Amino acid sequence: MSTQPGLVATDLRSSRVGPVTLHVRPGECLAITGPSGSGKSLLLRLLADLDPHTGRVTLDDTDAQSIPGHVWRERVAYFPAEPGWWSEQACDHVADTGAARTLLGSVGLSERMLSSKIHTLSTGERQRLALVRGLLHKPKVLLLDEPTSALDPDSTALVEQMLAGLKRDGTIFILVSHNAAQTRRFADRHFTLRDGRLEEGDAP
């Protein structure tokens, strides 16, 4: 059993991905690149325990299978490129609290957004609102799938600045991004996913 802090996957696999073994330490960002359809998003979903898999995933020696799924996903939060919504009202997803207002401001969103309907928001606004929604649970691991793909450069800079602060505080990141400049700025280690296997290499 691992005695090192961080996110550890051992022999993780599904029908399309794996086996994958990795260890990401607190305050570290691992970037994963690869062609479309190579399974990058699926790997993030496996780490978040959203899809069937074999193998073992632990966070600070807590096994994903030992706690309820929703508790695991609050600690190991998956942020897809296209977030899902269960209500048309933004406030049903993000309550109007001091913490929410602070996070909204840090990513360039107005507090007035909480009174909006989801369908009236731009793709970039929805992407940032979903990030705020997940961060309110104070996850220890962020699984980011193209987190700024719909953002302009100024908004991207705000999001990266906020995420960098979390990284300095020890949050673990796994970043999937086609933005080579972003992975060079943010990641400590770089992997490529090919044929379901991770290959470590230099920054793209």
Side-chain angles (χ1 to χ4, degrees):
M1 178 179 291
S2 168
T3 58
Q4 293 179 293
L7 182 72
V8 179
T10 305
D11 200 27
L12 182 67
R13 67 178 78 198
S14 71
S15 59
R16 290 181 51 210
V17 171
V20 169
T21 294
L22 58 83
H23 179 196
V24 193
R25 297 166 180 80
E28 185 178 34
C29 177
L30 185 155
I32 300 175
T33 58
S36 297
S38 62
K40 301 183 298 297
S41 298
L42 176 56
L43 176 57
L44 297 187
R45 291 181 60 85
L46 299 183
L47 293 168
D49 198 26
L50 285 165
D51 289 343
H53 62 83
T54 59
R56 187 166 184 256
V57 184
T58 63
L59 175 62
D60 299 336
D61 288 327
T62 297
D63 194 304
Q65 301 303 311
S66 70
I67 59 177
H70 73 278
V71 175
W72 177 261
R73 286 183 282 276
E74 287 180 354
R75 300 178 187 178
V76 180
Y78 172 52
F79 296 89
E82 298 181 5
W85 309 96
W86 58 82
S87 170
E88 181 60 19
Q89 302 294 330
C91 61
D92 290 340
H93 301 272
V94 178
D96 188 358
T97 65
R101 290 192 292 272
T102 297
L103 283 171
L104 287 168
S106 70
V107 295
L109 295 177
S110 168
E111 297 174 20
R112 294 192 299 273
M113 183 161 296
L114 296 178
S115 61
S116 301
K117 293 184 180 296
I118 295 296
H119 78 270
T120 67
L121 305 180
S122 70
T123 303
E125 288 172 333
R126 292 196 301 272
Q127 201 168 41
R128 284 176 285 168
L129 185 65
L131 184 61
V132 169
R133 174 179 64 184
L135 291 179
L136 286 171
H137 296 292
K138 298 182 178 180
K140 293 186 175 182
V141 180
L142 303 186
L143 307 173
L144 302 175
D145 194 349
E146 303 290 351
T148 59
S149 58
L151 304 186
D152 58 64
D154 288 343
S155 296
T156 295
L158 284 174
V159 169
E160 288 186 359
Q161 181 179 6
M162 185 267 293
L163 294 177
L166 294 175
K167 187 170 180 282
R168 287 192 295 271
D169 290 339
T171 301
I172 295 166
F173 288 81
I174 297 183
L175 170 67
V176 167
S177 176
H178 285 103
N179 185 334
Q182 182 173 69
T183 60
R184 285 194 296 269
R185 286 192 299 268
F186 207 73
D188 302 291
R189 290 187 289 149
H190 297 80
F191 285 76
T192 300
L193 190 65
R194 290 193 179 95
D195 300 323
R197 305 292 183 94
L198 279 180
E199 303 173 359
E200 188 165 10
D202 296 329

